Amino acid sequence: MPKQRRVGNLLALAVLSALAQRPMHPYEIATTLRAWGKEQDMDIKWGSFYTVIRNMDRHGLIEAVESVRAGRRPERTVYRITDEGHAEMRDWARELVSTPEPEHHRFRAGLSVLAVLPPDEAVALLRQRLSKLEEIVRAGRDALAEYQRQLPRLLLVESEYELAIQEAEVAWVRGLLAEFTDGTYPGLEQWRTFHETGELPPELAGPTERGDTTQ
């Protein structure tokens, strides 16, 4: 189970990582996170940004050090990370790196109800997905190669991971499509029959429908 954090929004971790570089005011923090492409690394909802900042300040993870004004712009509060914030950032990073957590992906949700589609339509849709995935992988490889000429590998490890996951999905979808198209996927004919007749074959029925209530 993940730990209960004083500020559990992952945006807080991103803010801590930015302030670990130097003190900044919120606008600078947001600009830095966007420049780092943090939206690609975590689900950032910018509408909650200032709420997260206030909560982090209230819980002692960051603290205000000064207020600055540039020209006619509103006064801005500069924050720095506290010792507690450093400890929280490292502990959070350790947890995320070391402990697998279930992640609910939209593709998995779609696969869980794949049987509601006829096999031929499922094949067409998977081919469409595969084509888009291959484009994404090609672009990802090109981008990573370009970044590798400018940045140390340590700053690109999350991009390497994302590319590896995408490449693994490409390989898996290709394999699934091969089984569908060469007819070796178990239950394929029963699946097809279900959509032709509207009657669910016993082989595709779940335990409850078969009368199996064994836990």
Side-chain angles (χ1 to χ4, degrees), residues 7 50 68 146-147:
V7 184
Y50 285 97
V68 296
E146 179 63 28
Y147 289 140

Side-chain angles (χ1 to χ4, degrees), residues 61-121:
L61 302 176
I62 62 176
E63 62 184 4
V65 290
E66 63 176 331
S67 295
V68 296
R69 184 189 299 275
R72 297 183 177 179
R73 292 178 181 175
E75 193 171 65
R76 290 171 171 168
T77 301
V78 176
Y79 292 94
R80 69 182 175 193
I81 189 171
T82 64
D83 289 342
E84 285 189 61
H86 273 290
E88 178 75 353
M89 177 178 63
R90 294 187 182 111
D91 185 65
W92 207 343
R94 290 184 186 109
E95 178 189 327
L96 291 172
V97 172
S98 67
T99 308
E101 292 180 35
E103 298 180 53
H104 300 291
H105 297 289
R106 289 170 58 85
F107 184 38
R108 176 168 179 164
L111 290 173
S112 75
V113 293
L114 189 64
V116 305
L117 302 173
D120 291 344
E121 184 179 0

Side-chain angles (χ1 to χ4, degrees), residues 110-142:
L111 290 173
S112 75
V113 293
L114 189 64
V116 305
L117 302 173
D120 291 344
E121 184 179 0
V123 166
L125 293 169
L126 285 167
R127 283 176 174 159
Q128 180 180 332
R129 183 181 187 90
L130 180 60
S131 177
K132 292 177 180 178
L133 279 171
E134 289 171 337
E135 290 179 14
I136 291 171
V137 166
R138 282 194 294 270
R141 286 172 179 163
D142 291 344

Side-chain angles (χ1 to χ4, degrees), residues 149-184:
R149 287 192 280 269
Q150 307 170 39
L151 298 169
R153 187 178 178 188
L154 181 59
L155 299 183
L156 299 171
V157 66
E158 74 278 13
S159 298
E160 288 185 11
Y161 168 76
E162 183 68 19
L163 183 58
I165 294 297
Q166 291 165 349
E167 289 173 334
E169 185 177 335
V170 164
W172 186 83
V173 172
R174 280 179 183 158
L176 184 63
L177 277 170
E179 290 185 80
F180 285 165
T181 54
D182 65 18
T184 60

